[in-house]
Amino acid sequence: TVVKKNGYHDSVYISAAQIFQGIHTEKHRDKALVRYGDDSVPPVVTLQDEHSQRAAYELAFSALKYQDLLEEVLLDSCVYPCPSIPDELTSLLVVMLYDLQDREFKPREVFDEEEPVVEVRKVEHYLHRYMTKFAAAVARCRIKNDALSIEHILPEAIQKQQQRASALPLCVWVNTLKISLQDAFRDLKEEGFTRVESVADLDHYTYCVDQHCYDVLLFPSSLKEKLLNSDLFADCKLLLQ
C-alpha cells in the first residue's frame, strides 16, 4: 500500500525534535561537525491525541536511524552551518530534513486550522530555500554507496531488523468496554475486511483472532495507516498494541 505523504502539523515537528534531542547519538566533541546545542528545543509542546504522539515518535526515531546520513547531507550541501539556524534548532532541522526527503522534496500540506510555530516555519523556509542542494546531496550519498534508495545505505543489521519488523502482523486489542467482539467483527466486515483462520492466511484486507487471546486481532502490517485512520480507532474501539 502506497500512502501519500503530506507532512505533519507544526506541533508534531516540534515534538519530534524534542524527542530526537534526547535520543540522538552524541559524538566526541572533536568529531562533531553538526552541533545540537543544549536540551532546550523551544517551544515545549504537549500533543493531546494519540495519532500525533505516534507520528512524532516515528518521525524522531526515523531521524535517529538515519542520523549519520542526514548529518552528511547537511555538510555535503555546503549550506550548513547557517547563522539564522541556531544550534538549539539543529534537532528540528534534522527531523524536518528527514521528512522532506521522505516526501521526495515535495511541499507539505499546510493545515489552516493549526497554530503556526515560528521555529518550524523558519526551518522550513531554510530547507525550501536550499532544497535543490539538499536533494543533490542525497543523490550523491546514494551514488557513493551504490544504493537505489537511502534505505539501502543503512547497516545490514538494521536492514534485517526492518525486514523482520515489516513481516510481523499488527496486534490490535478490541476495547470491550466500548464495543463487543461481534460488533467489532461486523464493523470490520462493513469496512471491507475479511476474517481468516490464522496468521498464515493474512493477505491484503484480512484479519484473524489471536489463538491465545480472544480479544486480540491480527492484521497485515501494510494496513497500519488504514487502521489508524479508521473510525474504530478514532473512537478507541480498537487499540494498537
Side-chain angles (χ1 to χ4, degrees):
T1 304
V2 178
V3 179
K4 184 180 179 182
K5 298 173 181 177
N6 298 319
Y8 303 96
H9 287 83
D10 287 14
S11 57
V12 172
Y13 288 118
I14 281 290
S15 184
Q18 292 168 353
I19 297 166
F20 180 81
Q21 181 71 18
I23 63 176
H24 74 273
T25 302
E26 290 281 359
K27 298 179 180 177
H28 194 277
R29 182 170 292 274
D30 296 337
K31 298 180 179 179
L33 299 177
V34 176
R35 308 285 185 178
Y36 289 93
D38 57 28
D39 289 337
S40 60
V41 182
V44 176
V45 172
T46 301
L47 298 175
Q48 300 298 327
D49 64 290
E50 183 182 352
H51 185 74
S52 294
Q53 292 173 4
R54 191 178 299 279
Y57 273 97
E58 288 182 351
L59 186 54
F61 276 92
S62 293
L64 175 66
K65 186 167 57 177
Y66 292 100
Q67 179 182 337
D68 288 342
L69 172 67
L70 294 168
E71 291 179 356
E72 183 179 346
V73 168
L74 282 175
L75 296 169
D76 187 52
S77 66
C78 297
V79 294
Y80 176 89
C82 174
S84 64
I85 305 295
D87 291 348
E88 286 69 28
L89 293 183
T90 300
S91 287
L92 180 61
L93 177 63
V94 169
V95 163
M96 294 188 70
L97 176 59
Y98 169 79
D99 179 60
L100 181 62
Q101 68 78 33
D102 194 42
R103 287 185 278 117
E104 298 178 343
F105 295 94
K106 296 175 182 176
R108 70 166 171 144
E109 176 183 341
V110 177
F111 303 89
D112 294 334
E113 72 277 9
E114 74 169 320
E115 186 72 24
V117 178
V118 174
E119 288 79 6
V120 171
R121 301 301 169 94
K122 181 178 183 179
V123 170
E124 185 173 46
H125 176 73
Y126 170 73
L127 290 171
H128 283 193
R129 181 181 177 186
Y130 299 109
M131 190 182 302
T132 303
K133 292 189 176 183
F134 287 126
V138 171
R140 284 193 293 271
C141 286
R142 286 176 35 231
I143 293 170
K144 183 176 71 174
N145 291 276
D146 194 23
L148 293 175
S149 65
I150 66 169
E151 286 83 1
H152 295 93
I153 302 176
L154 290 172
E156 186 177 353
I158 296 181
Q159 291 188 42
K160 288 182 178 179
Q161 287 178 359
Q162 289 192 154
Q163 291 170 1
R164 286 197 294 268
S166 64
L168 291 174
L170 296 175
C171 295
V172 172
W173 291 91
V174 178
N175 184 359
T176 52
L177 295 176
K178 290 203 169 190
I179 191 172
S180 68
L181 286 172
Q182 294 306 317
D183 286 345
F185 297 156
R186 181 202 63 209
D187 289 356
L188 286 169
K189 184 176 182 180
E190 290 178 354
E191 291 193 19
F193 290 95
T194 301
R195 181 176 170 182
V196 295
E197 291 299 318
S198 68
V199 174
D201 300 321
L202 291 179
D203 185 40
H204 299 298
Y205 286 74
T206 58
Y207 72 96
C208 67
V209 179
D210 186 86
Q211 61 178 331
H212 301 295
C213 303
Y214 71 94
D215 56 351
V216 172
L217 310 180
L218 304 175
F219 292 82
S221 59
S222 59
L223 297 178
K224 184 176 182 179
E225 284 295 325
K226 178 175 175 60
L227 287 171
L228 291 176
N229 290 319
S230 69
D231 290 338
L232 286 167
F233 271 82
D235 298 334
C236 296
K237 293 177 181 178
L238 296 183
L239 305 171
L240 186 64
Q241 172 62 40

